[in-house]
mmCIF file of all heavy atoms in Angstrom:
data_model
loop_
_atom_site.group_PDB
_atom_site.id
_atom_site.type_symbol
_atom_site.label_atom_id
_atom_site.label_comp_id
_atom_site.label_asym_id
_atom_site.label_seq_id
_atom_site.Cartn_x
_atom_site.Cartn_y
_atom_site.Cartn_z
ATOM 1 N N LEU A 10 29.357 -20.720 56.380
ATOM 2 C CA LEU A 10 28.973 -20.886 54.984
ATOM 3 C C LEU A 10 28.679 -19.605 54.232
ATOM 4 O O LEU A 10 27.867 -18.808 54.661
ATOM 5 C CB LEU A 10 27.723 -21.749 54.920
ATOM 6 C CG LEU A 10 27.994 -23.209 55.052
ATOM 7 C CD1 LEU A 10 26.715 -23.966 54.826
ATOM 8 C CD2 LEU A 10 29.043 -23.627 54.049
ATOM 9 N N ALA A 11 29.340 -19.442 53.119
ATOM 10 C CA ALA A 11 29.061 -18.284 52.262
ATOM 11 C C ALA A 11 27.970 -18.641 51.263
ATOM 12 O O ALA A 11 27.759 -17.924 50.296
ATOM 13 C CB ALA A 11 30.314 -17.859 51.531
ATOM 14 N N GLU A 12 27.290 -19.760 51.530
ATOM 15 C CA GLU A 12 26.280 -20.280 50.610
ATOM 16 C C GLU A 12 25.326 -19.212 50.102
ATOM 17 O O GLU A 12 25.119 -19.048 48.920
ATOM 18 C CB GLU A 12 25.433 -21.264 51.392
ATOM 19 C CG GLU A 12 25.336 -22.609 50.758
ATOM 20 C CD GLU A 12 24.527 -23.472 51.654
ATOM 21 O OE1 GLU A 12 25.095 -24.060 52.582
ATOM 22 O OE2 GLU A 12 23.320 -23.541 51.420
ATOM 23 N N SER A 13 24.749 -18.479 51.068
ATOM 24 C CA SER A 13 23.757 -17.503 50.642
ATOM 25 C C SER A 13 24.416 -16.308 49.953
ATOM 26 O O SER A 13 23.829 -15.680 49.105
ATOM 27 C CB SER A 13 22.961 -17.026 51.842
ATOM 28 O OG SER A 13 23.846 -16.674 52.859
ATOM 29 N N ALA A 15 26.740 -16.430 47.800
ATOM 30 C CA ALA A 15 26.991 -16.723 46.398
ATOM 31 C C ALA A 15 25.781 -16.411 45.532
ATOM 32 O O ALA A 15 25.908 -16.071 44.381
ATOM 33 C CB ALA A 15 27.384 -18.170 46.232
ATOM 34 N N GLU A 36 16.644 -25.359 53.268
ATOM 35 C CA GLU A 36 17.685 -25.950 52.441
ATOM 36 C C GLU A 36 18.425 -27.045 53.192
ATOM 37 O O GLU A 36 18.684 -28.110 52.656
ATOM 38 C CB GLU A 36 18.664 -24.859 51.990
ATOM 39 C CG GLU A 36 19.469 -25.268 50.792
ATOM 40 C CD GLU A 36 20.033 -24.060 50.060
ATOM 41 O OE1 GLU A 36 21.070 -23.574 50.512
ATOM 42 O OE2 GLU A 36 19.448 -23.628 49.068
ATOM 43 N N ARG A 40 18.656 -31.210 52.313
ATOM 44 C CA ARG A 40 19.933 -31.713 51.811
ATOM 45 C C ARG A 40 19.989 -33.224 51.845
ATOM 46 O O ARG A 40 19.640 -33.832 52.848
ATOM 47 C CB ARG A 40 21.057 -31.215 52.728
ATOM 48 C CG ARG A 40 21.783 -30.046 52.193
ATOM 49 C CD ARG A 40 22.967 -29.737 53.082
ATOM 50 N NE ARG A 40 23.156 -28.311 53.165
ATOM 51 C CZ ARG A 40 23.444 -27.545 52.143
ATOM 52 N NH1 ARG A 40 23.573 -28.071 50.941
ATOM 53 N NH2 ARG A 40 23.590 -26.258 52.301
ATOM 54 N N PRO A 80 26.186 -21.997 41.196
ATOM 55 C CA PRO A 80 25.515 -22.092 42.495
ATOM 56 C C PRO A 80 24.325 -23.055 42.481
ATOM 57 O O PRO A 80 23.632 -23.161 41.475
ATOM 58 C CB PRO A 80 24.997 -20.670 42.739
ATOM 59 C CG PRO A 80 25.757 -19.788 41.820
ATOM 60 C CD PRO A 80 26.197 -20.623 40.667
ATOM 61 N N GLY A 81 24.144 -23.718 43.612
ATOM 62 C CA GLY A 81 22.916 -24.489 43.817
ATOM 63 C C GLY A 81 22.879 -25.867 43.208
ATOM 64 O O GLY A 81 21.834 -26.519 43.190
ATOM 65 N N LEU A 82 24.052 -26.355 42.714
ATOM 66 C CA LEU A 82 24.049 -27.677 42.083
ATOM 67 C C LEU A 82 24.402 -28.797 43.055
ATOM 68 O O LEU A 82 24.388 -29.960 42.668
ATOM 69 C CB LEU A 82 25.028 -27.716 40.892
ATOM 70 C CG LEU A 82 24.756 -26.772 39.729
ATOM 71 C CD1 LEU A 82 25.647 -27.123 38.544
ATOM 72 C CD2 LEU A 82 23.302 -26.808 39.296
ATOM 73 N N GLY A 83 24.746 -28.463 44.294
ATOM 74 C CA GLY A 83 24.984 -29.536 45.258
ATOM 75 C C GLY A 83 26.418 -29.675 45.738
ATOM 76 O O GLY A 83 26.785 -30.719 46.276
ATOM 77 N N LYS A 84 27.241 -28.623 45.608
ATOM 78 C CA LYS A 84 28.627 -28.727 46.047
ATOM 79 C C LYS A 84 28.716 -28.862 47.572
ATOM 80 O O LYS A 84 29.398 -29.743 48.082
ATOM 81 C CB LYS A 84 29.435 -27.496 45.593
ATOM 82 C CG LYS A 84 29.506 -27.371 44.072
ATOM 83 C CD LYS A 84 30.304 -26.161 43.632
ATOM 84 C CE LYS A 84 29.701 -24.833 44.043
ATOM 85 N NZ LYS A 84 28.377 -24.578 43.437
ATOM 86 N N THR A 85 28.019 -27.971 48.284
ATOM 87 C CA THR A 85 28.049 -28.037 49.748
ATOM 88 C C THR A 85 27.451 -29.362 50.214
ATOM 89 O O THR A 85 27.984 -30.013 51.120
ATOM 90 C CB THR A 85 27.273 -26.851 50.354
ATOM 91 O OG1 THR A 85 27.919 -25.640 49.947
ATOM 92 C CG2 THR A 85 27.245 -26.923 51.860
ATOM 93 N N SER A 86 26.359 -29.766 49.571
ATOM 94 C CA SER A 86 25.733 -31.039 49.947
ATOM 95 C C SER A 86 26.737 -32.172 49.805
ATOM 96 O O SER A 86 26.871 -33.014 50.705
ATOM 97 C CB SER A 86 24.513 -31.329 49.071
ATOM 98 O OG SER A 86 23.605 -30.252 49.140
ATOM 99 N N PHE A 127 36.161 -28.272 54.937
ATOM 100 C CA PHE A 127 35.449 -27.772 53.758
ATOM 101 C C PHE A 127 35.670 -26.278 53.636
ATOM 102 O O PHE A 127 35.313 -25.515 54.531
ATOM 103 C CB PHE A 127 33.954 -28.099 53.894
ATOM 104 C CG PHE A 127 33.105 -27.495 52.797
ATOM 105 C CD1 PHE A 127 33.491 -27.589 51.461
ATOM 106 C CD2 PHE A 127 31.917 -26.840 53.085
ATOM 107 C CE1 PHE A 127 32.727 -27.041 50.443
ATOM 108 C CE2 PHE A 127 31.135 -26.291 52.076
ATOM 109 C CZ PHE A 127 31.543 -26.383 50.755
ATOM 110 N N ASP A 129 34.501 -23.345 51.379
ATOM 111 C CA ASP A 129 33.583 -22.897 50.335
ATOM 112 C C ASP A 129 34.192 -21.674 49.654
ATOM 113 O O ASP A 129 34.974 -20.950 50.277
ATOM 114 C CB ASP A 129 32.239 -22.526 50.990
ATOM 115 C CG ASP A 129 31.077 -22.712 50.038
ATOM 116 O OD1 ASP A 129 31.299 -23.097 48.875
ATOM 117 O OD2 ASP A 129 29.930 -22.475 50.469
ATOM 118 N N GLU A 130 33.824 -21.445 48.415
ATOM 119 C CA GLU A 130 34.340 -20.296 47.660
ATOM 120 C C GLU A 130 35.855 -20.190 47.833
ATOM 121 O O GLU A 130 36.382 -19.114 48.162
ATOM 122 C CB GLU A 130 33.640 -19.003 48.119
ATOM 123 C CG GLU A 130 32.158 -18.984 47.814
ATOM 124 C CD GLU A 130 31.852 -19.136 46.326
ATOM 125 O OE1 GLU A 130 32.320 -18.309 45.532
ATOM 126 O OE2 GLU A 130 31.163 -20.101 45.946
ATOM 127 N N ALA A 176 35.171 -25.893 47.416
ATOM 128 C CA ALA A 176 34.084 -25.675 46.455
ATOM 129 C C ALA A 176 34.298 -24.328 45.803
ATOM 130 O O ALA A 176 34.753 -23.384 46.461
ATOM 131 C CB ALA A 176 32.727 -25.709 47.155
ATOM 132 N N THR A 178 32.624 -21.613 42.554
ATOM 133 C CA THR A 178 31.770 -21.328 41.402
ATOM 134 C C THR A 178 32.635 -20.798 40.257
ATOM 135 O O THR A 178 32.142 -20.566 39.169
ATOM 136 C CB THR A 178 30.718 -20.251 41.763
ATOM 137 O OG1 THR A 178 31.376 -19.184 42.445
ATOM 138 C CG2 THR A 178 29.637 -20.823 42.652
ATOM 139 N N ARG A 237 18.564 -26.250 43.739
ATOM 140 C CA ARG A 237 18.171 -25.211 44.703
ATOM 141 C C ARG A 237 16.971 -24.434 44.176
ATOM 142 O O ARG A 237 16.041 -24.123 44.918
ATOM 143 C CB ARG A 237 19.329 -24.264 44.995
ATOM 144 C CG ARG A 237 18.866 -23.099 45.890
ATOM 145 C CD ARG A 237 19.945 -22.087 46.170
ATOM 146 N NE ARG A 237 20.941 -22.619 47.071
ATOM 147 C CZ ARG A 237 22.240 -22.498 46.881
ATOM 148 N NH1 ARG A 237 22.695 -21.886 45.808
ATOM 149 N NH2 ARG A 237 23.096 -22.992 47.748
HETATM 150 MG MG1 MG B 402 27.496 -24.200 48.719
#
Side-chain angles (χ1 to χ4, degrees):
L10 280 186
E12 234 178 274
S13 49
E36 200 159 82
R40 260 187 216 297
L82 298 191
K84 297 180 296 297
T85 298
S86 305
F127 174 46
D129 208 359
E130 295 301 302
T178 46
R237 174 183 288 134

